[in-house]
């Protein structure tokens, strides 16, 4: 995985949410949570696995909606933040946080109803292996997002501390097929990359987001979107 040392640092975990989801980043957080819910809800009494759960912002959200969920991550520091978030939300009894390797998931075949990963595949050095493992342990649905090569994200990708893997639509479709999955839905969003929104206050981010959404609804938006959400069925 790219940037493992950077990602696992205690200081990164402690500042992760504040740096990425404050200011204009709040709308990113809202949109990503909406995308997850659109893809996996309803989750009440479903067994769910989140890979690369980080600080648990999706894990806790789904537990609040009745999921029995496992959050897996490679970083002990991130998992500590997730446990604290779950405790504050009062859902610790519905979540198990585990440290583990996404390339070798410690679960039997068809163990979960839903398996998903957000903000993960841009770090993946072996995406085919990761997606195959997600498919193996899911008996119903797999959901993930990617960052796209034909987008403005390429302009600042070089500046990220761990780099970032960018995908084309055809590459993702091939990965899905090779993992034995059927692509059920795809949604493309954010012509302006995340980095822009995180740098500006909400008052500035909101009108740009409105324009972004309107342009994104056109055929050009699907071509130039910086992020895509992929829903696949087993």
């Amino acid at each position: 995985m790219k940037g493992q040392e950077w990602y696992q640092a205690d200081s990164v975990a402690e500042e992760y949410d504040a740096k990425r989801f404050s200011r204009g980043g709040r709308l990113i957080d809202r949109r990503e949570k909406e995308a997850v819910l659109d893809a996996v809800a309803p989750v009440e009494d479903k067994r769910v696995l989140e890979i690369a759960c980080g600080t648990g912002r999706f894990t806790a959200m789904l537990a609040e909606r009745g999921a029995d969920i496992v959050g897996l991550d490679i970083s002990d520091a991130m998992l500590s933040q997730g446990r604290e978030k779950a405790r504050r939300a009062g859902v610790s009894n519905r979540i198990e946080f585990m440290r583990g390797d996404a390339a070798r998931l410690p679960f039997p075949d068809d163990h979960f109803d839903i398996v998903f990963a957000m903000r993960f595949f841009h770090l993946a050095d072996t995406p085919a292996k990761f997606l195959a493992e997600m498919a193996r342990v899911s008996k119903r649905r797999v959901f993930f997002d990617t960052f796209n090569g034909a987008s403005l994200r390429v302009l600042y990708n070089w500046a990220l501390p761990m780099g970032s893997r960018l995908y084309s639509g055809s590459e993702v479709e091939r990965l899905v097929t090779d993992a034995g999955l059927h692509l059920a839905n795809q949604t493309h969003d954010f012509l302006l990359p995340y980095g822009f929104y995180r740098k500006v206050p909400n008052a500035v981010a909101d009108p740009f987001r409105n324009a972004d959404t309107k342009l994104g609804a056109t055929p050009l938006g699907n071509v130039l979107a910086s992020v895509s959400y992929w829903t696949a069925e087993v």
Side-chain angles (χ1 to χ4, degrees), residues 24-63:
R26 293 174 189 169
L27 62 83
I28 299 171
D29 182 54
R30 289 196 301 269
R31 176 64 185 109
E32 289 186 329
K33 288 176 177 175
E34 178 186 76
V36 170
L37 290 174
D38 285 346
V40 306
V43 294
E44 186 174 2
D45 297 327
K46 296 292 195 301
R47 301 182 73 176
V48 180
L49 170 65
E50 181 183 3
I51 292 172
C53 66
T55 61
R57 60 195 179 100
F58 304 114
T59 325
M61 176 186 72
L62 296 182

Side-chain angles (χ1 to χ4, degrees), residues 21 159 168 175 208:
F21 308 115
S168 66
L175 287 168
F208 275 100

Side-chain angles (χ1 to χ4, degrees), residues 4-229:
Q4 279 195 26
E5 293 182 3
W6 170 85
Y7 179 76
Q8 295 184 71
D10 288 354
S11 59
V12 171
E14 291 166 1
E15 300 172 359
Y16 189 83
D17 285 359
K19 277 191 171 183
R20 282 161 174 74
F21 308 115
S22 60
R23 296 164 60 91
R26 293 174 189 169
L27 62 83
I28 299 171
D29 182 54
R30 289 196 301 269
R31 176 64 185 109
E32 289 186 329
K33 288 176 177 175
E34 178 186 76
V36 170
L37 290 174
D38 285 346
V40 306
V43 294
E44 186 174 2
D45 297 327
K46 296 292 195 301
R47 301 182 73 176
V48 180
L49 170 65
E50 181 183 3
I51 292 172
C53 66
T55 61
R57 60 195 179 100
F58 304 114
T59 325
M61 176 186 72
L62 296 182
E64 288 176 320
R65 287 161 173 78
D68 291 313
I69 186 165
V70 175
L72 183 122
D73 201 277
I74 198 171
S75 168
D76 285 326
M78 289 285 184
L79 292 170
S80 293
Q81 294 291 319
R83 292 186 183 99
E84 176 59 22
K85 189 171 292 180
R87 185 195 65 77
R88 293 196 304 267
V91 293
S92 296
N93 63 319
R94 302 198 71 97
I95 302 176
E96 180 182 4
F97 286 103
M98 296 177 56
R99 189 175 189 275
D101 182 354
R104 293 182 294 274
L105 295 174
F107 309 106
D109 295 357
D110 305 326
H111 190 65
F112 297 95
D113 297 295
I114 300 162
V115 179
F116 77 101
M118 291 289 288
R119 300 288 192 97
F120 173 68
F121 274 85
H122 70 292
L123 300 175
D125 48 6
T126 55
K129 182 184 294 185
F130 292 127
L131 190 56
E133 275 293 273
M134 292 174 70
R136 180 184 67 79
V137 302
S138 176
K139 60 184 177 183
R140 188 165 70 90
R141 183 166 298 163
V142 172
F143 175 70
F144 61 100
D145 68 331
T146 58
F147 292 144
N148 303 326
S151 70
L152 290 175
R153 187 173 176 88
V154 299
L155 298 179
Y156 75 95
N157 194 39
W158 60 271
L160 297 174
M162 67 296 192
S164 188
R165 185 186 182 103
L166 306 181
Y167 294 80
S168 66
S170 60
E171 181 180 6
V172 175
E173 291 172 5
R174 185 169 60 252
L175 287 168
V176 168
T177 299
D178 290 349
L181 296 167
H182 167 70
L183 187 61
N185 190 45
Q186 55 183 285
T187 306
H188 312 285
D189 204 351
F190 286 101
L191 273 69
L192 291 171
Y194 289 165
F196 168 80
Y197 288 106
R198 287 200 295 261
K199 294 297 184 182
V200 299
N202 287 328
V204 175
D206 285 340
F208 275 100
R209 176 58 176 160
N210 290 337
D212 189 319
T213 302
K214 289 178 181 178
L215 184 57
T218 69
L220 184 63
N222 286 350
V223 175
L224 299 179
S226 65
V227 62
S228 294
Y229 306 109

